[in-house]
Amino acid sequence: MKRRPLFAANWKMHKAPAQAADYVVQFWAAAEALVTKADIVLCAPFIDLETLRVELAPSRVRFGAQDCYWEASGAFTGEISAAMLAALGARYCIVGHSERRRLFGETDETVARKVAALLAVELTPIVCVGESLEEKQQGLTAARVTSQVQAGLGALSDEQRARVAIAYEPIWAIGTGLSDDPVTANATIAMIRGASGGLADARILYGGSMNADNAGSFCAQPEIDGGLVGGASLDPRGFLTLIMNGLKAAA
Ligand code: PGA
């Protein structure tokens, strides 16, 4: 069976609750027509999630977080657990984004713990992997991303792996306007899917300067199941156009 496309907005550290509410007003009715063909999720700062829960209540657009902690509760000042996200009605959570790995000490080991915690409460982890520019130049892309996938998903059963989404995001392409070549990204994603068992049904997204103009050429590739979108997701109309263009090309 063909995998259902997934388009995830990664708002990063943008939008206070009032702006999140305003976004949804402009987004959800038009997005509703697209939800028949794809899963759509807004991954927002924690303080926006309650607003998204309320504003998206009549909609099938989902909301998610950008990080979580693996323990369910306890003395972990400043943290939000996967279980708390589930209790709020979040359906997705980004894990292991390169910004968190680089700036906030995320490791392959913490990624694996978060993935397990999210699956245990029926959330879909969106696990980010990707190589640096130096690694790409040294021909180390395949080694880097397969080791990240293996570390993050290695302990999971095949049934659990099918419930995970992976975002292949070359670090040099994130926020730079320099997207990967779609054919090259497709080959890397095919390699990720083939290198670890149980990923035939898992959605694997491309991320890194995806926008309304290039989404079609990525989504036309057979291994690319949608996008994890940063800058181009911040404007509701722009994100809708991106999704529409992606779906048109994937059809
Ligand atoms: P970008 O970010 O679309 O702004 O490149 C993608 C991401 O970091 O997930």
Side-chain angles (χ1 to χ4, degrees):
M1 205 180 76
K2 186 137 172 41
R3 296 174 296 268
R4 185 171 159 82
L6 168 62
F7 291 89
N10 176 11
W11 286 355
K12 309 193 180 184
M13 198 172 74
H14 294 286
K15 298 189 190 296
Q19 296 167 302
D22 188 50
Y23 186 106
V24 173
V25 168
Q26 298 179 58
F27 186 75
W28 84 266
E32 207 55 21
L34 304 172
V35 170
T36 54
K37 301 188 204 102
D39 290 334
I40 300 174
V41 54
L42 305 178
C43 295
F46 288 127
I47 57 156
D48 294 334
L49 299 183
E50 170 64 10
T51 300
L52 292 181
R53 181 186 73 77
V54 171
E55 298 293 330
L56 289 171
S59 160
R60 286 171 292 169
V61 174
R62 304 306 187 194
F63 63 93
Q66 301 170 3
D67 187 30
C68 68
Y69 194 63
W70 55 85
E71 296 289 350
S73 63
F76 304 104
T77 302
E79 293 298 303
I80 305 278
S81 71
M84 289 168 158
L85 295 173
L88 190 69
R91 298 289 190 90
Y92 293 81
C93 184
I94 297 170
V95 184
H97 191 281
S98 62
E99 287 151 17
R100 295 217 63 85
R101 293 180 191 258
R102 182 166 51 88
L103 300 170
F104 302 106
E106 188 83 86
T107 65
D108 283 341
E109 198 216 325
T110 59
V111 168
R113 286 180 174 224
K114 292 174 183 186
V115 168
L118 288 162
L119 289 172
V121 292
E122 308 284 330
L123 263 76
T124 300
I126 302 175
V127 182
C128 300
V129 301
E131 82 286 1
S132 67
L133 186 59
E134 297 75 56
E135 288 165 338
K136 179 183 171 64
Q137 287 166 342
Q138 290 165 27
L140 296 174
T141 299
R144 184 79 196 112
V145 297
T146 48
S147 85
Q148 287 175 324
V149 170
Q150 197 44 38
L153 279 60
L156 304 181
S157 67
D158 279 2
E159 179 274 326
Q160 288 173 314
R161 282 172 189 232
R163 291 198 277 131
V164 171
I166 295 172
Y168 167 59
E169 298 201 308
I171 295 169
W172 48 270
I174 294 174
T176 58
L178 295 172
S179 55
D180 200 359
D181 169 61
V183 173
T184 308
N186 186 68
T188 304
I189 288 174
M191 188 274 305
I192 291 171
R193 208 184 287 290
S196 307
L199 292 179
D201 295 330
R203 269 92 59 93
I204 309 188
L205 316 178
Y206 170 77
S209 297
M210 185 184 267
N211 58 41
D213 293 332
N214 64 25
S217 48
F218 284 105
C219 294
Q221 300 293 328
E223 296 293 339
I224 300 180
D225 301 320
L228 179 59
V229 185
S233 75
L234 293 175
D235 172 64
R237 282 173 225 290
F239 190 40
L240 285 166
T241 306
L242 184 158
I243 298 168
M244 271 185 281
N245 291 350
L247 287 175
K248 223 180 290 163

